[in-house]
Amino acid sequence: MMFTADKIALLVATMKRNGVAELEIREEAEELRLVGAAGVRPTAAISPRTAGRMVSATAFGVLHLERQAGAAVEAGEIVATVAAGPLRRPVVSPIAGRLTRMLARQAQRVEYGTPIFEILEGKERS
Amino acid sequence: MIEILETPPLNTMQDLGRVGYRCHGIGRGGVMDRLALAAGNALLGNDDGEAGLEFQLFPVRLRFTRETAFAVTGAHCEARLAGRRLPPWWATRAQAGDELVLSSPRKGMRAYLTIAGGFDVPQVLGSRSTHARDSFGGFHGRPLLAGDVLGNRAHAPFVFRDSAGVGATPAEEAVPAAPCEDLADGETVVRAIRAAEFDSFDEASQTALCRTPWKVTARSNRQGYALSGTPLRRNALLEMRSHAIVPGVIQVPPSGQPLIQLAEANSAGGYPKIGVVIEADLWRIGQLPPGATLRFVLCSLQEARAAEQASDAYLASLRRLAGYCRKAAA
């Protein structure tokens, strides 16, 4: 038996942590398919109660910062990228505002939901 | 469609070049950075060799007159789409009316704009490369001018899964250069194999080729790069007949200051050759501005093949992964 209960539990935990909804693995003669129940959500990194909101990673990989703390950004603007192999995927700001605090380092390994910047909502542009 | 709003001279449309016509005196031409062009095409799902616009002078300003998926690769020139900065080596979708601005590069020398479907210009002798000297190919056989309007060919419609688009790890990070002992900061290393006249250079010159730095002079362009450094001398001065040459050849004129023939190399030349830069490293030279410092390391044919396989593997992996980041549009 390749897929022990421990191994499956580990896979499920990894899926949850990274916001993976569906996983299919084939190992030799065995096949395993894991589907997250509806409502399985990645760990939310946004807390509406704090003054600053977060810009968080949306993929697993190596972080490349495109903006620094202090930068004014628009909603949808790319503030960082996450590299997996030769591919880079965008991390965009969910709102217009100013990046107030850097919460991750350049070249750090990030997962789905890893906070990258704290952002203070506001319309001003630098 | 794209309208060029502003461009300095010498920016042209290029693909991977015109192969098979050197016997008629028509050189290969094509982009100076083959990896950057191919990576842009891979992000968009185009064939590797689809033509792009090669920008070597800046600033460049253009407007998308229609919604268009495009990529900017090569030199890091702080591309801004509708005022928003794009990461280097990035593909995304422009809306009709969006302006794209490319500024003088912080790193590298030549930037490439590729578009989904490729540019709608006819092939001439099997290529869309602009042969500027003989005025054929590319966009009306000439460099781009403000007011030019370039269309793209029909392609299967797609959207990026992330609406902000998708990018590639720049080749200079993803495909490492050869190691070189006593390398100084900021020097670029390229591999070369020995050429026919290597043995006719004196020992000091053979050593100097790889052990001393070479400065890229201002007399460097798409035809070739003129280097300055320790003069290279031959044991005996022999006149040579003109013979066929290829991009990458390192010629040594009587001054002893080497010339590397590049994309727009003539099809023949008469200077003795000390080495040939391997194809897999030519793009590194294409990204060097005047004033940069170059180092050579000699390699074997096997090492040259391995270097080519490393670039191919990078492109293949990028193409496969980028495919997951697009989906067909209704």
Side-chain angles (χ1 to χ4, degrees):
Chain A
M1 182 82 174
M2 304 287 293
F3 296 113
T4 59
D6 278 0
K7 204 164 172 184
I8 291 172
L10 185 69
L11 287 170
V12 169
T14 311
M15 282 173 70
K16 280 186 178 164
R17 205 168 57 235
N18 290 297
V20 175
E22 199 175 323
L23 182 73
E24 234 181 280
I25 304 179
R26 260 170 238 125
E27 264 184 33
E28 291 171 22
E30 283 184 82
E31 206 175 309
L32 177 73
R33 185 157 173 266
L34 298 171
V35 182
V40 170
R41 284 281 155 86
T43 329
I46 296 168
S47 159
R49 281 191 193 82
T50 56
R53 289 174 66 181
M54 304 292 178
V55 185
S56 305
T58 46
F60 176 85
V62 178
L63 183 69
H64 292 265
L65 297 168
E66 291 293 327
R67 290 290 188 284
Q68 300 298 322
V73 297
E74 289 172 25
E77 194 165 332
I78 301 169
V79 297
T81 63
V82 175
L87 195 82
R88 289 193 179 176
R89 294 176 55 194
V91 178
V92 300
S93 174
I95 52 171
R98 183 171 294 279
L99 302 174
T100 46
R101 210 148 57 94
M102 211 182 324
L103 303 168
R105 296 181 322 276
Q106 176 76 357
Q108 178 187 326
R109 204 160 266 284
V110 296
E111 299 184 353
Y112 195 107
T114 306
I116 298 173
F117 286 109
E118 186 181 71
I119 184 168
L120 199 61
E121 192 157 8
K123 273 284 165 206
E124 39 133 16
R125 288 285 304 186
S126 59
Chain B
M1 288 206 292
I2 291 173
E3 184 187 355
I4 308 286
L5 300 177
E6 178 187 352
T7 177
L10 304 179
N11 292 332
T12 54
M13 183 181 297
Q14 298 291 340
D15 59 13
L16 296 179
R18 213 162 254 118
V19 178
Y21 298 94
R22 218 190 312 265
C23 56
H24 303 296
I26 297 167
R28 183 171 79 187
V31 287
M32 289 284 277
D33 183 343
R34 300 162 78 81
L35 221 40
L37 180 80
N41 283 323
L43 288 172
L44 297 168
N46 291 342
D47 289 343
D48 276 354
E50 196 53 69
L53 304 183
E54 181 180 85
F55 298 114
Q56 42 184 4
L57 289 174
F58 301 85
V60 172
R61 238 164 22 96
L62 49 89
R63 183 190 294 124
F64 294 92
T65 57
R66 211 187 279 164
E67 194 185 314
T68 309
F70 71 97
V72 178
T73 51
H76 299 200
C77 53
E78 298 217 349
R80 276 175 192 273
L81 178 68
R84 282 186 184 183
R85 202 160 82 198
L86 299 177
W89 294 59
W90 201 256
T92 188
R93 184 171 295 276
Q95 301 304 316
D98 278 357
E99 245 183 69
L100 178 71
V101 180
L102 307 181
S103 309
S104 284
R106 285 175 298 141
K107 186 176 174 189
M109 172 77 189
R110 294 180 170 87
Y112 295 89
L113 174 77
T114 40
I115 57 173
F119 287 99
D120 185 20
V121 305
Q123 291 193 319
V124 180
L125 300 177
S127 162
R128 293 189 173 86
S129 284
T130 310
H131 197 299
R133 195 174 44 203
D134 292 328
S135 304
F136 70 89
F139 188 75
H140 299 299
R142 61 161 171 79
L144 300 168
L145 296 172
D148 285 349
V149 176
L150 301 106
N152 60 332
R153 303 202 305 285
H155 63 95
F158 66 83
V159 294
F160 292 108
R161 287 181 190 273
D162 284 310
S163 63
V166 65
T169 299
E172 67 268 17
E173 291 171 47
V175 188
C180 170
E181 45 187 291
D182 66 16
L183 188 72
D185 232 25
E187 292 180 342
T188 296
V189 184
V190 295
R191 284 158 283 203
I193 53 174
R194 291 175 175 81
E197 289 79 49
F198 181 86
D199 291 332
S200 75
F201 287 87
D202 63 32
E203 228 179 284
S205 299
Q206 290 179 358
T207 309
L209 178 70
C210 292
R211 298 306 296 273
T212 61
W214 298 96
K215 195 161 183 166
V216 175
T217 69
R219 291 174 299 112
S220 297
N221 52 40
R222 284 180 39 82
Q223 187 180 344
Y225 270 32
L227 307 179
S228 84
T230 314
L232 303 176
R233 303 285 175 214
R234 300 172 75 197
N235 285 318
L237 281 181
L238 288 172
E239 290 288 316
M240 290 181 68
R241 288 178 189 275
S242 282
H243 50 271
I245 56 170
V246 295
V249 155
I250 309 167
Q251 298 175 312
V252 184
S255 68
Q257 302 292 294
L259 289 167
I260 311 175
Q261 293 287 339
L262 293 167
E264 277 175 25
N266 287 324
S267 53
Y271 292 134
K273 312 171 294 294
I274 193 166
V276 184
V277 177
I278 65 170
E279 182 82 37
D281 275 348
L282 282 181
W283 64 270
R284 300 182 199 276
I285 298 176
Q287 289 300 351
L288 292 182
T293 310
L294 188 61
R295 294 293 301 268
F296 296 108
V297 292
L298 286 175
C299 79
S300 65
L301 285 175
Q302 286 81 353
E303 288 168 307
R305 250 177 247 122
E308 188 137 296
Q309 282 158 3
S311 314
D312 288 351
Y314 159 73
L315 283 176
S317 170
L318 178 63
R319 175 169 292 278
R320 185 174 56 82
L321 293 171
Y324 298 138
C325 295
R326 299 184 309 264
K327 60 181 175 196

